[in-house]
Amino acid sequence: MTASSPPLSSTIRTDAVASSFATSYAGVVAFMTVVAEGSFAKAGDRLGIGRSAVSRGVQKLETQLGTRLLSRTTRSLALTREGELFHARCHPGVAQITQALEDLRELRDGPPRGPLRISAPAGFGRKVVAPLLQGFHARYPDIALDLALSDAAVDFTSDRVDVAFRNGRLEDSQLIARQIVPMQMHVCAAPDYVKARGMPATPDDLVHHDCINYRMASGRARDWEFKVQGETRKVSPASRLTFNDAELVLQAVQRGQGIAQMPAYQISALLRSRALLSCMPQYAPDDSGHYICYLSRQHLPSRIRVFVDHMTTAIRALDLQCPAAL
């Protein structure tokens, strides 16, 4: 069976063609497959459906177009003149759609490749995420990584983000969020500061100390949080210094300019070496976490899946928690 490519006849109205594509793409696919295979039975085998389903799809398409596309008897099958015209116009579009489907299947099931846009809070991204990207890239060289550091809340759709790291407590129920490690927050001070000013024994003692605050992307200084008798207590201490960069907060603490409440991933190594001292560890909150987030578990591209798994394993292997004995 052959199909020529003459100009589209006025027998098939443009609006009918548009309607058939919009409402019965399955019928178009069935028709094109019958032409390619030469029979309804072979078309059903290729599509993974029964012969009768293929026949119904073609019949529905013919009804929508108001014309017969195939002339069929018990022994033969041939394109009508209208069928030749319709096939000639449909073939390029169906071929492109088929190729697009194959490309997407390869992205999903083949070796991970393609662009991956990642968002992370500035401090956590710079200290933890960025150093691990080299190892990931060595393992998956066909994935192009784009890391954006921002403490502002990201919108997965408008910011075109594939994976986001988030700290604290998550309230967005639309996201799939995997906790990587708990997020510990500790008040810390340099030994010289403690020698000169002592340590606060309770959250109420903060009024007697030089506190260094961190200003969030919202413009507000971040509250200091404590666990007091099983309840979360927030404190907004008057600050001697305020920075909108966590690294600057840490540098000021190390210089002995004051005390600050900081996440464990920034200070755990300094606490172990006694370069910094932990204050009030018994009041440290324990209900926050570091999360890796994405939009859906369904139809997850392989480049996202391998990144989430790799980074979760790599970050958990790091020693980001404060030592038990401080």
Side-chain angles (χ1 to χ4, degrees):
M1 182 169 52
T2 61
S4 58
S5 303
L8 184 62
S9 168
S10 58
T11 305
I12 304 177
R13 295 173 52 197
T14 301
D15 58 346
V17 174
S19 175
S20 70
F21 270 96
T23 60
S24 186
Y25 175 70
V28 177
V29 172
F31 165 72
M32 298 297 290
T33 307
V34 169
V35 175
E37 297 295 328
S39 77
F40 284 87
K42 291 181 179 178
D45 291 341
R46 181 173 174 182
L47 295 173
I49 58 178
R51 180 188 185 283
S52 59
V54 176
S55 180
R56 286 195 301 271
V58 173
Q59 289 174 359
K60 182 178 180 180
L61 179 63
E62 290 177 328
T63 299
Q64 290 176 331
L65 296 176
T67 189
R68 182 174 290 276
L69 300 175
L70 293 169
S71 176
R72 44 215 187 259
T73 67
T74 56
R75 294 187 177 182
S76 65
L77 181 67
L79 283 166
T80 65
R81 175 62 176 168
E82 290 77 15
E84 291 178 353
L85 299 171
F86 188 70
H87 178 274
R89 285 299 181 93
C90 286
H91 187 270
V94 172
Q96 290 179 358
I97 292 172
T98 300
Q99 185 60 52
L101 291 172
E102 289 300 321
D103 290 345
L104 286 177
R105 288 192 188 99
E106 184 179 350
L107 282 175
R108 184 192 65 193
D109 302 326
R113 62 183 177 88
L116 187 69
R117 184 165 173 79
I118 309 147
S119 172
F124 190 78
R126 187 178 295 112
K127 179 80 172 180
V128 179
V129 177
L132 296 174
L133 296 185
Q134 182 177 359
F136 177 82
H137 191 261
R139 187 174 180 183
Y140 301 101
D142 294 328
I143 298 179
L145 301 175
D146 180 352
L147 174 62
L149 301 183
S150 175
D151 291 327
V154 298
D155 184 281
F156 275 73
T157 302
S158 62
D159 295 327
R160 300 182 65 83
V161 168
D162 297 303
V163 179
F165 292 90
R166 292 189 174 179
N167 299 331
R169 304 178 187 88
L170 295 191
E171 299 176 357
D172 191 341
S173 61
Q174 302 302 312
L175 296 178
I176 305 301
R178 179 190 295 185
Q179 187 181 104
I180 308 173
V181 291
M183 181 178 178
Q184 297 177 327
M185 298 293 293
H186 283 268
V187 178
C188 58
D192 288 346
Y193 179 91
V194 173
K195 183 177 180 180
R197 302 286 301 276
M199 284 187 179
T202 71
D204 292 330
D205 293 338
L206 292 177
V207 295
H208 305 299
H209 287 268
D210 295 332
C211 297
I212 303 173
N213 279 340
Y214 169 74
R215 189 175 303 282
M216 300 182 294
S218 64
R220 290 184 61 253
R222 183 170 61 195
D223 292 330
W224 297 26
E225 293 191 2
F226 301 96
K227 203 78 167 183
V228 180
Q229 296 181 346
E231 300 292 331
T232 299
R233 178 181 172 187
K234 293 184 178 182
V235 178
S236 302
S239 62
R240 183 175 184 272
L241 291 169
T242 300
F243 299 99
N244 70 345
D245 183 87
E247 185 62 28
L248 294 179
V249 174
L250 178 58
Q251 291 175 12
V253 173
Q254 289 179 290
R255 287 192 293 264
Q257 294 178 272
I259 64 175
Q261 187 177 58
M262 306 200 68
Y265 73 84
Q266 284 191 294
I267 61 173
S268 58
L270 296 170
L271 292 176
R272 288 187 183 88
S273 67
R274 306 294 289 179
L276 291 181
L277 303 177
S278 179
C279 310
M280 304 180 291
Q282 69 274 24
Y283 294 110
D286 58 3
D287 58 348
S288 295
H290 298 289
Y291 296 87
I292 189 167
C293 309
Y294 48 98
L295 280 179
S296 175
R297 287 193 180 93
Q298 291 186 326
H299 313 304
L300 193 65
S302 59
R303 68 186 187 279
I304 296 179
R305 183 174 62 252
V306 297
F307 181 81
V308 169
D309 291 343
H310 179 95
M311 296 301 285
T312 298
T313 300
I315 292 174
R316 285 176 177 171
L318 301 175
D319 196 356
L320 300 181
Q321 304 301 297
C322 288
L326 296 164

